[in-house]
């Protein structure tokens, strides 16, 4: 789960960076947006579980965030074509969604929560940072209208709960679940899968 946490942190940092660039924020605005996107879901998760947020105790996520921002700036990521950046955003945001859904669900399992608790914590960990990001830039959050976004987080968290009940949690099963979740999210975006609308 430590590797997935790093992957999620880096992925959401990139997505926050790209939104900040798209909105033409200044350097501090981009850093704040990327930081809150990367750590927002984890803070919501930890507060819900009555834990002191990990970011206050462990500086490794901050190293990952600022290292990612440094690399993005050095390679001039913001100067790439709009189409390329849009694709990178979808991939990064989807990877962060799946990774944080799994890490949140695992923490919920470690806390002894049932199915609803595991799914809820996994969901909030996965979408919390993106929710904060979208509200800060005055966009409608993805979870309210986009293609199988929050649904993927729910399915992945429920899948980990099922694996735990079957005593089948392992590195292989976790990474397989992560790959399936990422594939579903990207396929939903490409094929424009939508939940029914009122």
């Amino acid at each position: 789960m430590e590797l997935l946490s790093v992957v999620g942190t880096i992925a959401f940092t990139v997505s926050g960076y790209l939104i900040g660039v798209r909105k033409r924020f200044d350097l501090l605005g981009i850093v704040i947006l990327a930081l809150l996107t990367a750590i927002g879901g984890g803070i919501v998760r930890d507060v819900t579980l009555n834990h002191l947020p990990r970011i206050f105790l462990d500086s490794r996520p901050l190293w990952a965030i600022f290292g990612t921002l440094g690399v993005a700036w050095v390679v001039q990521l913001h100067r790439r074509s709009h189409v390329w950046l849009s694709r990178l955003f979808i991939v990064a945001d989807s990877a962060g969604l799946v990774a944080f859904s799994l890490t949140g669900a695992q923490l919920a399992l470690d806390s002894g929560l049932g199915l609803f608790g595991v799914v809820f914590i996994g969901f909030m960990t996965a979408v919390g940072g993106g929710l904060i990001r979208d509200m800060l830039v005055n966009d409608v959050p993805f979870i309210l209208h986009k293609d199988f976004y929050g649904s993927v987080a729910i399915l992945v968290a429920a899948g980990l709960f099922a694996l735990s009940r079957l005593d089948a949690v392992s590195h292989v099963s976790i990474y397989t679940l992560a790959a399936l979740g990422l594939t579903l999210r990207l396929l939903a975006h490409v094929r424009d899968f939508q939940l029914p609308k009122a």
Side-chain angles (χ1 to χ4, degrees):
M1 285 298 172
E2 191 64 35
L3 177 59
L4 284 174
S5 180
V6 172
V7 168
T9 300
I10 291 173
F12 272 159
T13 299
V14 170
S15 77
Y17 172 87
L18 293 176
I19 291 292
V21 168
R22 183 186 303 169
K23 296 292 184 177
R24 303 184 65 82
F25 287 1
D26 63 17
L27 183 58
L28 180 60
I30 290 173
V31 170
I32 291 172
L33 191 64
L35 180 68
L36 291 177
T37 304
I39 69 173
I43 290 177
V44 172
R45 174 201 66 212
D46 293 339
V47 169
T48 303
L49 292 173
N50 202 28
H51 297 161
L52 188 64
R54 178 188 175 193
I55 195 70
F56 298 153
L57 303 171
D58 185 357
S59 63
R60 286 176 294 179
L62 290 176
W63 285 108
I65 291 166
F66 289 110
T68 302
L69 288 173
V71 170
W73 187 260
V74 167
V75 302
Q76 298 288 286
L77 191 60
H78 51 281
R79 296 188 182 275
R80 304 299 176 94
S81 71
H82 176 72
V83 173
W84 193 88
L85 290 178
S86 295
R87 290 174 179 169
L88 177 61
F89 170 77
I90 292 298
V91 172
D93 197 56
S94 300
L97 179 85
V98 171
F100 278 166
S101 178
L102 284 168
T103 58
Q106 183 61 59
L107 281 175
L109 285 170
D110 293 342
S111 298
L113 301 186
L115 174 60
F116 177 78
V118 170
V119 170
F120 179 79
I121 295 297
F123 177 79
M124 288 308 302
T125 306
V127 306
L131 188 64
I132 293 170
R133 176 198 66 210
D134 294 341
M135 289 192 299
L136 281 175
V137 300
N138 204 29
D139 285 342
V140 177
F142 267 29
I143 59 171
L144 299 181
H145 69 106
K146 284 295 182 181
D147 40 18
F148 267 64
Y149 188 77
S151 306
V152 171
I154 291 170
L155 290 172
V156 168
L160 186 61
F161 180 84
L163 288 174
S164 72
R165 286 296 180 266
L166 296 172
D167 199 23
V169 176
S170 67
H171 287 93
V172 173
S173 62
I174 289 173
Y175 290 130
T176 299
L177 184 58
L180 289 172
L182 182 58
T183 301
L184 177 60
R185 168 71 185 115
L186 295 176
L187 182 63
H189 175 75
V190 171
R191 297 294 180 88
D192 196 27
F193 292 163
Q194 301 280 347
L195 292 176
K197 295 182 179 180

